Every structure is written in C-alpha cells, then in structure tokens.
Amino acid sequence: GDSVTQMEGPVTLSEEAFLTINCTYTATGYPSLFWYVQYPGEGLQLLLKATKADDKGSNKGFEATYRKETTSFHLEKGSVQVSDSAVYFCAPPLSGNQFYFGTGTSLTVIP
Amino acid sequence: DTGVSQDPRHKITKRGQNVTFRCDPISEHNRLYWYRQTLGQGPEFLTYFQNEAQLEKSRLLSDRFSAERPKGSFSTLEIQRTEQGDSAMYLCASSLVGSFDEQFFGPGTRLTVL
C-alpha cells in the first residue's frame, strides 16, 4: 500500500542554519503530498502541499518539491529560526485509504 | 467558519467508565477523520467517514471504540470501559473530497484515564 518514510529526529540546529528533513513515499498514482507541523502544545496544521509532480509547495520560508523520479518530498528551509522549533510530519498520500503520519521529526532551533 | 472544533478539550475519567467525544468539522467538509496521538508519536489513524458512512476503521482499533456521524455533520467517538492505555490526545480532522484531500485538524481532546 501507499506509505511514507521520514527522516527520524530529533534534529537540533543553530539559528540561521539550513534545514533538510527527508521524506520519501511509495504510492500508486500521483497523490497530493503534504507537510504538517505541530508546535509545542498545539494541534497539527498544514505547512505546505504539492498537488502534482514537480510542484513546489512553500510557506513561511519552507519549501518542498514533489519529485516523481525519486519519489521524494524533502522539506527545506534556508535559515531556521527559534520559532520553527516543532515536530514536522510528512503526511501520507491519501489514495488507497492509507493514513499514517509516523513519528515525525522533532526540530529544536537554538539561539 | 472557525475551523474544526472538539469537545471537551480535556477529560479525566476512572478506569472502566465510558467516555464520549464530539467533533464538529468545517461545515462544507464531507470527510471526517479520527486519530489518536500519544506523547512523542504521530497521529494514529482510527477511522474515517465520508458523509455519514464509516468507510474505514483501523484493524488495530479495539471493539470498545465506536464512532458515529449520523447526519453527515458532527461526529462522536465513544470509548467503553476505558483503560489506562486509552490515555491520549484524540484528534479530529476534516477534509473536502476533491480539494486535494487536505486535512484540517481540530485542537484535540486530551483523555486521562486514572
């Protein structure tokens, strides 16, 4: 069935460092892909999405490109801030009714 | 619309008691999902509805759990004979079929079973 594999954390970076969180997926067809973020003490919220191959989703300085050839959707940010400290989830393709968020990647940014 | 709402936000109960949670999705959303999240883990899928039909239920879900969405709007999740292992955050999300299946999450109901 459809699934995602996400880089495990935790990840600790200094402020202004470059961030990459890897995510690869297996899916039948070409589903939409999502990154969700959960800030401390809060619920999940959508960070960005891409709805077709080669699409780039972006929000709050984060980017992810839907790479069909490598089946990847890696999350990147050029310069992280302390306020980016959160848990990031590469959300599963929703085709085939498979719903699995995994453990996410915890990011801590230190000043 | 202010988004997905859940009630109550917190529930403390004694082992063996029944509890019921309510989720109100975004009004035009026809899909509704329930997840459970424990500390340090991602959301674990429990079940989902399309309109009033329950289309899928996790194979790992105990028979003590039941969910309904009688009119295709709000949903309830009931846990019977609660156990300490049921302590978790219960999350509800909704989406609109055909809108790239983006899920909007509610704030969750935190259950503590003593």
Side-chain angles (χ1 to χ4, degrees):
Chain A
D2 299 353
S3 65
V4 291
T5 301
Q6 183 177 341
M7 181 179 84
E8 294 189 4
V11 175
T12 302
L13 294 174
S14 297
E15 205 165 22
E16 299 183 2
F18 183 83
L19 168 72
T20 299
I21 301 177
N22 290 338
C23 172
T24 57
Y25 66 91
T26 59
T28 52
Y30 302 105
S32 301
L33 298 177
F34 307 92
W35 276 98
Y36 283 84
V37 60
Q38 189 170 31
Y39 297 103
E42 299 184 13
L44 274 81
Q45 54 186 274
L46 180 68
L47 179 60
L48 54 82
K49 65 183 180 184
T51 58
K52 60 183 186 295
D54 299 325
D55 253 7
K56 177 184 283 187
S58 61
N59 185 27
K60 299 182 180 181
F62 290 89
E63 293 183 341
T65 301
Y66 189 154
R67 303 279 189 201
K68 185 175 64 174
E69 63 277 9
T70 55
T71 64
S72 65
F73 193 53
H74 305 323
L75 183 69
E76 297 182 335
K77 186 173 185 180
S79 176
V80 294
Q81 305 300 311
V82 172
S83 58
D84 294 327
S85 297
V87 181
Y88 294 82
F89 296 93
C90 182
L94 298 185
S95 62
N97 297 332
Q98 296 293 317
F99 305 89
Y100 177 65
F101 280 81
T103 57
T105 300
S106 175
L107 170 67
T108 301
V109 180
I110 54 177
Chain B
D1 194 294
T2 56
V4 179
S5 61
Q6 293 186 245
D7 183 70
R9 294 292 305 276
H10 304 273
K11 178 70 176 179
I12 299 174
T13 191
K14 293 183 179 179
R15 189 174 50 189
Q17 297 295 304
N18 299 344
V19 294
T20 299
F21 309 141
R22 176 179 170 125
C23 171
D24 287 88
I26 294 173
S27 57
E28 66 268 25
H29 285 186
N30 44 15
R31 279 192 174 175
L32 186 148
Y33 314 82
W34 285 100
Y35 294 87
R36 174 172 59 193
Q37 187 176 24
T38 54
L39 195 62
Q41 301 296 314
E44 174 194 358
F45 170 74
L46 298 179
T47 188
Y48 93 98
F49 294 83
Q50 182 159 315
N51 300 313
E52 65 275 9
Q54 187 173 17
L55 295 188
E56 187 151 342
K57 185 174 176 180
S58 169
R59 291 186 297 274
L60 302 177
L61 196 60
S62 163
D63 290 343
R64 297 183 294 105
F65 287 70
S66 62
E68 294 183 341
R69 194 183 183 199
K71 297 182 180 179
S73 56
F74 73 92
S75 175
T76 57
L77 176 69
E78 181 182 18
I79 309 174
Q80 296 181 326
R81 304 181 303 282
T82 53
E83 301 173 357
Q84 288 186 324
D86 296 331
S87 296
M89 178 75 84
Y90 289 83
L91 301 172
C92 177
S94 69
S95 72
L96 183 63
V97 174
S99 183
F100 307 113
D101 291 321
E102 174 184 341
Q103 296 183 61
F104 293 80
F105 282 83
T109 294
R110 181 167 295 284
L111 173 66
T112 302
V113 181
L114 302 177

